[in-house]
Coordinates of all heavy atoms in Angstrom, one line a residue:
W1 N -15.2 55.7 -7.8 CA -13.8 55.3 -8.3 C -13.2 54.3 -7.4 O -12.5 53.4 -7.9 CB -13.0 56.6 -8.4 CG -12.4 57.1 -7.1 CD1 -12.8 58.2 -6.4 CD2 -11.2 56.7 -6.4 NE1 -12.0 58.4 -5.3 CE2 -11.0 57.6 -5.3 CE3 -10.2 55.8 -6.7 CZ2 -9.9 57.4 -4.4 CZ3 -9.1 55.6 -5.8 CH2 -9.0 56.4 -4.7
R2 N -13.5 54.3 -6.1 CA -12.9 53.3 -5.2 C -13.5 51.9 -5.5 O -12.7 50.9 -5.6 CB -13.1 53.6 -3.8 CG -12.4 54.9 -3.4 CD -12.8 55.4 -1.9 NE -12.2 56.7 -1.6 CZ -11.0 56.8 -1.2 NH1 -10.2 55.8 -1.0 NH2 -10.5 58.1 -1.0
D3 N -14.8 51.8 -5.7 CA -15.4 50.5 -6.0 C -15.1 50.0 -7.4 O -14.9 48.8 -7.6 CB -16.9 50.6 -5.8 CG -17.6 49.3 -5.7 OD1 -17.0 48.4 -5.1 OD2 -18.7 49.1 -6.2
L4 N -15.0 50.9 -8.4 CA -14.6 50.5 -9.7 C -13.2 49.8 -9.7 O -13.0 48.8 -10.3 CB -14.6 51.7 -10.7 CG -15.9 52.2 -11.1 CD1 -15.8 53.6 -11.8 CD2 -16.6 51.3 -12.0
L5 N -12.3 50.4 -9.0 CA -10.9 49.8 -8.9 C -11.0 48.5 -8.1 O -10.3 47.6 -8.4 CB -9.9 50.8 -8.2 CG -9.6 52.0 -9.0 CD1 -8.5 52.8 -8.3 CD2 -9.1 51.7 -10.4
Y6 N -11.8 48.5 -7.1 CA -12.0 47.2 -6.3 C -12.5 46.1 -7.2 O -12.0 45.0 -7.1 CB -12.9 47.5 -5.1 CG -13.3 46.2 -4.4 CD1 -12.4 45.6 -3.5 CD2 -14.6 45.7 -4.5 CE1 -12.7 44.4 -2.8 CE2 -14.9 44.5 -3.8 CZ -14.0 43.9 -3.0 OH -14.4 42.8 -2.3
I7 N -13.5 46.4 -8.0 CA -14.0 45.4 -8.9 C -13.0 45.0 -10.0 O -12.8 43.8 -10.2 CB -15.3 45.9 -9.6 CG1 -16.4 46.2 -8.6 CG2 -15.7 45.0 -10.7 CD1 -17.6 46.9 -9.2
A8 N -12.3 45.9 -10.5 CA -11.3 45.7 -11.6 C -10.1 44.9 -11.0 O -9.5 44.0 -11.7 CB -10.8 46.9 -12.2
E9 N -9.7 45.2 -9.8 CA -8.4 44.6 -9.3 C -8.6 43.4 -8.4 O -7.7 42.6 -8.2 CB -7.7 45.7 -8.5 CG -7.3 46.9 -9.4 CD -6.6 48.0 -8.6 OE1 -6.6 48.0 -7.4 OE2 -6.1 49.0 -9.2
Q10 N -9.8 43.3 -7.7 CA -10.0 42.3 -6.7 C -11.1 41.3 -7.1 O -10.9 40.1 -7.1 CB -10.3 42.9 -5.4 CG -9.2 43.8 -4.8 CD -8.0 43.1 -4.3 OE1 -8.0 41.9 -4.2 NE2 -6.9 43.8 -4.1
V11 N -12.3 41.8 -7.4 CA -13.4 41.0 -7.8 C -13.1 40.2 -9.1 O -13.3 39.0 -9.3 CB -14.7 41.8 -7.9 CG1 -15.9 40.9 -8.4 CG2 -15.0 42.4 -6.6
F12 N -12.7 41.0 -10.1 CA -12.2 40.5 -11.4 C -13.2 39.6 -12.0 O -14.3 40.1 -12.4 CB -10.8 39.9 -11.2 CG -10.1 39.6 -12.5 CD1 -10.0 40.6 -13.5 CD2 -9.4 38.4 -12.8 CE1 -9.3 40.4 -14.7 CE2 -8.7 38.2 -13.9 CZ -8.7 39.2 -14.9
L13 N -12.9 38.3 -12.2 CA -13.8 37.4 -12.9 C -14.6 36.5 -12.0 O -15.0 35.4 -12.4 CB -12.9 36.5 -13.8 CG -12.1 37.3 -14.9 CD1 -11.3 36.3 -15.8 CD2 -13.0 38.1 -15.8
D14 N -14.9 37.0 -10.9 CA -15.8 36.2 -10.0 C -17.1 35.9 -10.7 O -17.8 36.8 -11.1 CB -16.1 37.0 -8.7 CG -16.8 36.2 -7.6 OD1 -17.5 35.2 -8.0 OD2 -16.8 36.6 -6.5
P15 N -17.4 34.6 -10.9 CA -18.6 34.3 -11.7 C -19.9 34.7 -11.0 O -21.0 34.8 -11.6 CB -18.6 32.8 -11.8 CG -17.6 32.3 -10.8 CD -16.7 33.4 -10.5
L16 N -19.9 34.9 -9.7 CA -21.1 35.3 -8.9 C -20.7 36.5 -8.0 O -20.5 36.4 -6.8 CB -21.6 34.2 -8.0 CG -22.2 32.9 -8.8 CD1 -22.5 31.8 -7.8 CD2 -23.4 33.3 -9.6
P17 N -20.5 37.7 -8.6 CA -20.0 38.8 -7.9 C -21.1 39.5 -7.0 O -21.4 40.7 -7.2 CB -19.5 39.7 -9.0 CG -20.4 39.4 -10.2 CD -20.8 38.0 -10.1
A18 N -21.7 38.8 -6.1 CA -22.8 39.3 -5.3 C -22.4 40.4 -4.4 O -23.2 41.3 -4.1 CB -23.4 38.2 -4.5
F19 N -21.1 40.5 -4.1 CA -20.6 41.5 -3.1 C -19.7 42.5 -3.8 O -18.8 43.1 -3.1 CB -20.0 40.8 -1.9 CG -20.9 40.0 -1.1 CD1 -21.0 38.6 -1.3 CD2 -21.8 40.6 -0.3 CE1 -21.9 37.8 -0.6 CE2 -22.7 39.8 0.5 CZ -22.7 38.4 0.3
K20 N -19.8 42.7 -5.1 CA -18.9 43.6 -5.8 C -19.1 45.1 -5.4 O -18.3 45.9 -5.6 CB -19.0 43.5 -7.3 CG -20.4 43.9 -7.9 CD -20.4 43.7 -9.4 CE -21.7 44.1 -10.0 NZ -21.7 44.0 -11.5
Y21 N -20.3 45.4 -4.8 CA -20.6 46.8 -4.4 C -20.2 47.0 -2.9 O -20.6 48.0 -2.3 CB -22.1 47.1 -4.6 CG -22.5 47.1 -6.0 CD1 -23.9 46.8 -6.3 CD2 -21.7 47.3 -7.1 CE1 -24.3 46.8 -7.6 CE2 -22.1 47.2 -8.4 CZ -23.4 47.0 -8.7 OH -23.9 47.0 -10.0
F22 N -19.4 46.1 -2.4 CA -19.0 46.1 -1.0 C -17.4 46.2 -1.0 O -16.8 45.3 -0.6 CB -19.4 44.9 -0.2 CG -20.9 44.8 0.0 CD1 -21.7 44.4 -1.1 CD2 -21.5 45.2 1.2 CE1 -23.1 44.2 -0.9 CE2 -22.9 45.1 1.3 CZ -23.7 44.6 0.3
P23 N -16.9 47.3 -1.4 CA -15.4 47.4 -1.4 C -14.8 47.2 0.0 O -15.4 47.6 1.0 CB -15.2 48.9 -1.9 CG -16.4 49.6 -1.6 CD -17.5 48.6 -1.7
S24 N -13.7 46.7 0.0 CA -13.0 46.4 1.3 C -12.6 47.7 2.0 O -12.5 48.8 1.3 CB -11.8 45.5 1.1 OG -10.8 46.1 0.3
Q25 N -12.3 47.6 3.2 CA -11.8 48.8 4.0 C -10.5 49.3 3.3 O -10.2 50.5 3.4 CB -11.5 48.5 5.4 CG -11.3 49.7 6.3 CD -12.5 50.6 6.4 OE1 -13.6 50.2 6.5 NE2 -12.2 51.9 6.3
E26 N -9.7 48.4 2.8 CA -8.5 48.8 2.1 C -8.7 49.9 1.0 O -8.0 50.8 0.8 CB -7.8 47.6 1.5 CG -6.5 47.9 0.7 CD -6.0 46.7 -0.1 OE1 -6.6 45.6 0.1 OE2 -5.0 46.9 -0.8
Y27 N -9.8 49.7 0.3 CA -10.2 50.6 -0.8 C -10.8 51.8 -0.3 O -10.7 52.9 -1.0 CB -11.0 49.9 -1.9 CG -10.1 49.0 -2.8 CD1 -9.6 47.8 -2.4 CD2 -9.7 49.5 -4.1 CE1 -8.8 47.0 -3.2 CE2 -8.9 48.8 -4.9 CZ -8.4 47.5 -4.4 OH -7.6 46.8 -5.3
L28 N -11.6 51.8 0.8 CA -12.1 53.0 1.3 C -11.0 53.9 1.9 O -11.2 55.1 2.0 CB -13.2 52.6 2.4 CG -14.5 51.9 1.9 CD1 -15.3 51.5 3.1 CD2 -15.2 52.8 1.0
D29 N -10.0 53.2 2.4 CA -8.8 54.0 2.9 C -7.8 54.3 1.8 O -6.7 54.9 2.1 CB -8.2 53.2 4.0 CG -9.0 53.1 5.3 OD1 -9.9 54.0 5.4 OD2 -8.8 52.2 6.1
L30 N -8.0 53.8 0.6 CA -7.0 54.0 -0.5 C -6.7 55.5 -0.7 O -7.6 56.3 -0.9 CB -7.5 53.4 -1.8 CG -6.5 53.2 -2.9 CD1 -5.5 52.2 -2.6 CD2 -7.3 52.8 -4.2
P31 N -5.5 55.9 -0.5 CA -5.2 57.3 -0.7 C -5.5 57.8 -2.1 O -5.0 57.2 -3.1 CB -3.7 57.4 -0.4 CG -3.3 56.2 0.4 CD -4.3 55.1 -0.2
N32 N -6.2 58.9 -2.2 CA -6.4 59.5 -3.5 C -5.1 60.2 -4.0 O -4.5 60.8 -3.2 CB -7.5 60.6 -3.4 CG -7.9 61.1 -4.8 OD1 -7.1 61.8 -5.5 ND2 -9.2 60.9 -5.2
S33 N -4.7 59.9 -5.2 CA -3.5 60.4 -5.7 C -3.4 61.9 -5.8 O -2.3 62.5 -5.9 CB -3.2 59.8 -7.1 OG -3.2 58.4 -7.1
Y34 N -4.5 62.6 -5.6 CA -4.6 64.1 -5.8 C -5.1 64.8 -4.6 O -5.6 65.9 -4.7 CB -5.3 64.4 -7.1 CG -4.7 63.8 -8.3 CD1 -5.0 62.5 -8.8 CD2 -3.6 64.5 -8.9 CE1 -4.4 62.0 -9.9 CE2 -3.0 63.9 -10.0 CZ -3.4 62.7 -10.5 OH -2.7 62.1 -11.6
A35 N -5.1 64.1 -3.4 CA -5.5 64.7 -2.2 C -4.7 64.2 -1.1 O -4.1 63.1 -1.2 CB -7.0 64.5 -1.9
G36 N -4.5 64.9 0.0 CA -3.7 64.4 1.1 C -2.3 64.8 1.0 O -1.7 65.1 -0.1
D37 N -1.6 64.7 2.1 CA -0.2 65.1 2.2 C 0.7 64.2 1.3 O 1.8 64.6 0.9 CB 0.3 65.0 3.6 CG -0.4 66.1 4.5 OD1 -0.8 67.1 4.0 OD2 -0.5 65.8 5.7
Q38 N 0.3 63.0 1.0 CA 1.2 62.1 0.3 C 1.2 62.3 -1.2 O 2.0 61.8 -2.0 CB 0.8 60.6 0.5 CG -0.3 60.0 -0.4 CD -1.6 60.7 -0.4 OE1 -2.0 61.2 0.6 NE2 -2.3 60.7 -1.6
S39 N 0.2 63.2 -1.7 CA 0.1 63.3 -3.2 C 1.2 64.2 -3.8 O 1.6 65.2 -3.2 CB -1.3 64.0 -3.5 OG -1.4 65.3 -2.8
K40 N 1.6 63.8 -5.0 CA 2.6 64.6 -5.7 C 2.1 65.8 -6.3 O 2.7 66.8 -6.4 CB 3.3 63.7 -6.8 CG 4.1 62.5 -6.3 CD 4.7 61.7 -7.4 CE 5.5 60.6 -6.9 NZ 6.1 59.7 -8.0

């Protein structure tokens, strides 16, 4: 789910998405909406 959002939101239309399976640290740290103290 983290990499899918990374591809949809950041990689987007990169004509040579060679690194689309390398999500950034921002997405590895992305808070899950249904886990953790911040979740509603």
Side-chain angles (χ1 to χ4, degrees):
W1 79 262
R2 296 173 185 278
D3 197 37
L4 286 167
L5 291 186
Y6 173 71
I7 294 171
E9 297 176 354
Q10 300 288 346
V11 177
F12 194 45
L13 297 181
D14 187 341
L16 297 171
F19 296 99
K20 66 179 180 177
Y21 299 154
F22 295 78
S24 64
Q25 191 63 44
E26 176 189 0
Y27 279 79
L28 292 176
D29 292 337
L30 190 66
N32 189 294
S33 303
Y34 300 91
D37 294 333
Q38 90 299 329
S39 59
K40 293 182 179 179

